[in-house]
Amino acid sequence: MKQRTYWDYMEKALAPYSSESLEAMIPPIGKPWDDIQAYSRVASLAGILLSKGRARQYIEVWLRMMDSLAADFPHRENDSMADFAVKEFMLCLCECRDIVPEEQYRHWIDGMAQVDPYRTYSFTLRNTGRRLHNINVYNMAGEILRAYLGITDAREYIERHLARQMEYFDENGMYMDPNCPMLYDAATRVHLQLLLRFGYNGEYRDRIDRYLKKAGMFSLRMQSAAFEFPFGGRSNQFLFNEAYQAAVFEYEACRYHNLGDMETAGQFKRAAALGMRAIDRWLAGKSGRHIKNFYPADSGHGCENYGYYGKYMISLGCFSYLASLFCEDSIEERPCPAETGGYVLATSSAFHKIFANCCGKSVEIETNADPHYDAVGIGRLHVAGVPSEYILSVPFPCQRGYKDILGADNIGASFCPGFAGLEGFTFLSEGERPVCHWQTEECSNDRLVLRIDWKTGSFRAFETIRIDDSGFSITVSADGAFRKLCYSVPVFVTNGRDRAILQWNDSLAQNMVDGYRIVYETDGRFQMGEERLANRNGEYKRLIALSDGKVIQIKISVDKEI
């Protein structure tokens, strides 16, 4: 991936915002911006593209937006939106000096010189006893950029807050935001990369660098066989997830390039490129998508209340710019782990995920779900070249923390074992949190076997997952007092555009969608569940595989229809 290609993604993210619509958003003189987080990103991205000789149709409205934003920031107090927005504005100032009249540029600098981090920002140690979260690292990035341009001396502020932030990293260098969402681990690390990129050289520099290096290698192996960012927690499935992933990978590619390790550098470089290409299908058309479904953008399906189109579409562009900052065009791509496979990886217990990849196929397993976003079990099965939601990209939470326009049942669901009792079915994904132990029984580039021991108070299941050229094979045996062993098989219905046709009988189900055929087989018998399932990507049904004994097998394969 070249820098200019990231600029292409930046232009695609800016394209839905017309000059006329942006003009209408500029508040009257003396009035604050309603959404300074979103529109600082729009202004920043427009200015950065203008500095690259692109997006010239925005020049007049961009200048007025920057004037208005520069006048707004000094009046912000204890404002969490400013925690995000200052950094965006400052990144633009770093790029745009040569395209702005000196007097106007100086006016912007003077406005930003009036920012007082303890007064302006919300997530600071001024608010004693408050968890700082990832947002504090965003505002520290804003401070290092103000220092980079000579506006302030940020050393005391950054040192004081990094001392607290160092408490929030696990043994793998991953950042533990509350409930440990995968996205905010990566987002925080990218903003720490910015601190180092723009000159932080204080007490914690070496420690941060060690965390980034270790967690970067974890990120490389958490990328799915479809080259997507892992699921887990809030703000997932937005397109900017892959931009953050690329920013991590480009940074690490440069690290290994500078160390003379061209193989590892090339792996990171390749992973960044494949991850960005994985979102291309969502960007086709005039407006593109900001989340991985095809429901109307203003419906908000799959989005948290803060994840609306106007803010998170432009975020794809801004975070693609961050990836471009770390991009070294001369690094040659080498096959990356998501392509070659042959590994199993587990996070720390804080993030409670297991990843396995082999033969162009991968699984991601949730062992201790946040019920607002995920469910215990296999929450992702990806196959290279197959649209990721056609099998499953993210599980179904029982206390949905994002908008569902489909009226689906609030039932935790995934690929997972369960049992039939007198009162119906109980699945691992919807009951008490289990104890989980796992071991790799076989692992190569050609075949992988992973065994998981799930245990609850009344049920114990041994799940063996096999991955090879033929597909996925899942065998479950169980102990406990139950009538029948069963297995939950979510089946894609629609993503808001593509609609599947399901044909099934007792032992075989075929789901046809957009030229792909996903085949499900069992040595038991299938029964269609009554539930209507929905996740961020769309609507699903649930097939239930039933066994009269205490062992059941399910096989999943994919091919292109002829």
Side-chain angles (χ1 to χ4, degrees), residues 203-214:
E203 178 181 351
Y204 301 101
R205 180 182 178 87
D206 290 346
R207 188 168 170 185
I208 290 170
D209 189 57
R210 289 195 301 272
Y211 289 154
L212 295 178
K213 184 177 183 181
K214 192 166 188 179

Side-chain angles (χ1 to χ4, degrees), residues 115-132:
V115 169
D116 176 349
Y118 288 105
R119 173 178 56 83
T120 304
Y121 303 139
S122 178
F123 285 82
T124 75
L125 288 171
R126 176 195 63 240
N127 295 322
T128 57
R130 183 180 188 180
R131 172 75 186 269
L132 290 178

Side-chain angles (χ1 to χ4, degrees), residues 503-532:
Q503 300 173 347
W504 64 283
N505 56 36
D506 281 355
S507 61
L508 176 69
Q510 299 183 84
N511 208 29
M512 280 76 75
V513 54
D514 195 30
Y516 294 91
R517 179 173 57 189
I518 299 96
V519 180
Y520 305 89
E521 302 173 77
T522 182
D523 59 358
R525 67 181 185 279
F526 282 128
Q527 173 180 319
M528 182 60 69
E530 298 178 357
E531 309 94 336
R532 188 182 186 194

Side-chain angles (χ1 to χ4, degrees), residues 30 120 140 185 234 242 283 320 407 430-431 441 456 507 547 556:
T120 304
M140 279 194 276
D185 157 55
R234 61 191 185 91
E242 276 67 35
L283 293 172
S320 296
E430 58 192 28
E441 295 190 345
T456 69
S507 61
S547 171
I556 304 166

Side-chain angles (χ1 to χ4, degrees), residues 11-23 42-43 45-47 49-50 54-65 314:
E11 282 197 284
K12 289 177 183 179
L14 183 60
Y17 304 80
S18 69
S19 296
E20 293 75 18
S21 67
L22 295 178
E23 191 73 57
V42 176
L45 191 61
L49 284 168
L50 283 162
R54 303 189 180 201
R56 292 177 180 175
Q57 70 272 27
Y58 292 97
I59 181 66
E60 293 183 4
V61 69
W62 169 69
L63 290 169
R64 285 191 284 275
M65 290 179 75
I314 200 67

Side-chain angles (χ1 to χ4, degrees), residues 180-183 230-234 236 353 364 366 373-374 394:
C180 293
M182 300 298 283
L183 187 277
F231 78 77
R234 61 191 185 91
N236 203 261
K353 305 288 191 300
E364 181 180 347
E366 173 64 79
Y373 299 101
D374 302 304
V394 61

Side-chain angles (χ1 to χ4, degrees), residues 446-477:
D446 301 319
R447 178 177 164 84
L448 188 151
V449 181
L450 173 66
R451 180 179 170 89
I452 305 175
D453 180 357
W454 302 102
K455 187 176 182 181
T456 69
S458 57
F459 180 66
R460 186 172 188 180
F462 302 93
E463 184 172 17
T464 301
I465 303 163
R466 295 176 176 85
I467 308 174
D468 58 26
D469 278 336
S470 66
F472 305 93
S473 174
I474 301 166
T475 303
V476 177
S477 60

